[in-house]
Amino acid sequence: GSAARSQMQAGEHGMTDMRRLTHADGETEHKRAAGTLLDAGAERPADLDLAMLRQHCAQTLDRDWLYATYESLGLAYGPAFRAVETLSVSKDQVLAHLVLPSTAQDPDLALHPSLLDAAFHAVLGLYHARTGSGGAALPVALDELIVYAPTTDQMWVHLLERRVGEGLRKIDLSLADAQGQVSVTVRGFTLRTLPTVPPTPIRKPETTVSSASADSDQVADYFRNLVARETGVPLAEIDLHAPLEDYGID
């Protein structure tokens, strides 16, 4: 079986460092995640200018398209996780309005998983015009997540894409309230695009001639040549199904 444990230790500047470790049956221990607890008074980033972002992200996408696309990829999200209400995009940015479904509301959660998950759902808006440019995009890393204040039932999320290399995209996310005040930031959410693998063509089975069939053809050729030599009848006119008397052979 496998086991997991968390470590907490004092870090620099009064911060607390955390690590999540796993191991299986005494094998090598692996670090699965690391983080730092900040003081409650950590300075927030600048507010989002929602009016400017709405103007910049001028193309609107339908939320039904979003979840239908995920379902076609094998990801069927239930009602409690369908928190994306509106979605607008530009070439490298997304602005989405998130509304927590009534079935998922829980005032005791500082960072609601349905809202955070929905923020990641909005990433698909960056790919809506890139059909055919690659295969599936898989999340492979997340550099930093900071919670400055609890999430609320309605949030705005802004996504900004950064190109970092062939097949890799890093996306920064900011969750803010109706006034644009940032509550959560995610930095370096990294996606790796897998190359599209063309389907393997189905080959028609090759026609093979059995050894018995080959032997039969050789015998037929031998008798045609024998009859042609003995009778002088052109080879092309000899029918092996005709009686030999037709060729003057008793």
Side-chain angles (χ1 to χ4, degrees):
S2 61
R5 65 189 181 93
S6 298
Q7 281 186 345
M8 299 181 65
Q9 61 186 28
E12 297 180 355
H13 309 296
M15 296 183 294
T16 302
D17 294 332
M18 301 176 58
R19 294 194 303 167
R20 183 69 171 172
L21 307 170
T22 62
H23 65 87
D25 300 328
E27 296 179 359
T28 303
E29 198 165 52
H30 300 278
K31 182 171 71 173
R32 298 300 182 185
T36 300
L37 294 179
L38 301 176
D39 292 336
E43 185 178 354
R44 287 189 180 187
D47 292 352
L48 296 183
D49 188 337
L50 295 175
M52 183 190 70
L53 290 174
R54 290 190 193 98
Q55 186 176 4
H56 181 76
C57 300
Q59 183 177 359
T60 301
L61 301 178
D62 189 80
R63 75 183 297 268
D64 292 335
W65 165 86
L66 179 74
Y67 289 110
T69 302
Y70 275 120
E71 191 163 354
S72 71
L73 297 172
L75 300 171
Y77 292 102
F81 285 92
R82 297 194 174 202
V84 176
E85 189 68 19
T86 64
L87 186 68
S88 56
V89 301
S90 67
K91 181 179 179 181
D92 58 355
Q93 297 185 50
V94 173
L95 181 66
H97 188 215
L98 311 180
V99 178
L100 190 64
S102 58
T103 55
Q105 292 180 1
D106 187 340
D108 295 328
L109 294 174
L111 178 60
H112 201 293
S114 291
L115 283 172
L116 183 61
D117 202 36
F120 291 127
H121 294 173
V123 170
L124 191 61
L126 294 169
Y127 290 83
H128 79 284
R130 302 177 187 171
T131 55
S133 61
L138 301 180
V140 295
L142 188 153
D143 296 339
E144 178 185 84
L145 186 150
I146 301 178
V147 181
Y148 297 96
T151 53
T152 59
D153 291 348
Q154 296 193 33
M155 304 288 294
W156 288 91
V157 61
H158 173 242
L159 295 83
L160 176 63
E161 179 182 16
R162 294 184 283 125
R163 298 294 182 92
V164 293
E166 185 66 28
L168 284 178
R169 291 187 172 95
K170 278 184 180 286
I171 301 167
D172 297 333
L173 301 87
S174 298
L175 280 85
D177 61 19
Q179 288 71 45
Q181 191 172 40
V182 176
S183 299
V184 181
T185 58
V186 178
R187 297 291 177 260
F189 177 57
T190 307
L191 297 173
R192 182 184 299 277
T193 303
L194 301 181
T196 301
V197 179
T200 303
I202 301 175
R203 295 185 177 181
K204 295 181 179 180
E206 296 181 359
T207 304
T208 57
V209 180
S210 65
S211 58
S213 176
D215 291 344
S216 176
D217 290 341
Q218 291 177 359
V219 171
D221 289 340
Y222 171 79
F223 277 103
R224 283 194 186 93
N225 282 283
L226 178 63
V227 172
R229 186 174 65 250
E230 295 296 329
T231 62
V233 176
L235 186 64
E237 298 178 7
I238 296 175
D239 181 3
L240 293 182
H241 298 288
L244 293 177
E245 288 84 357
D246 291 352
Y247 303 106
I249 301 176
D250 294 330

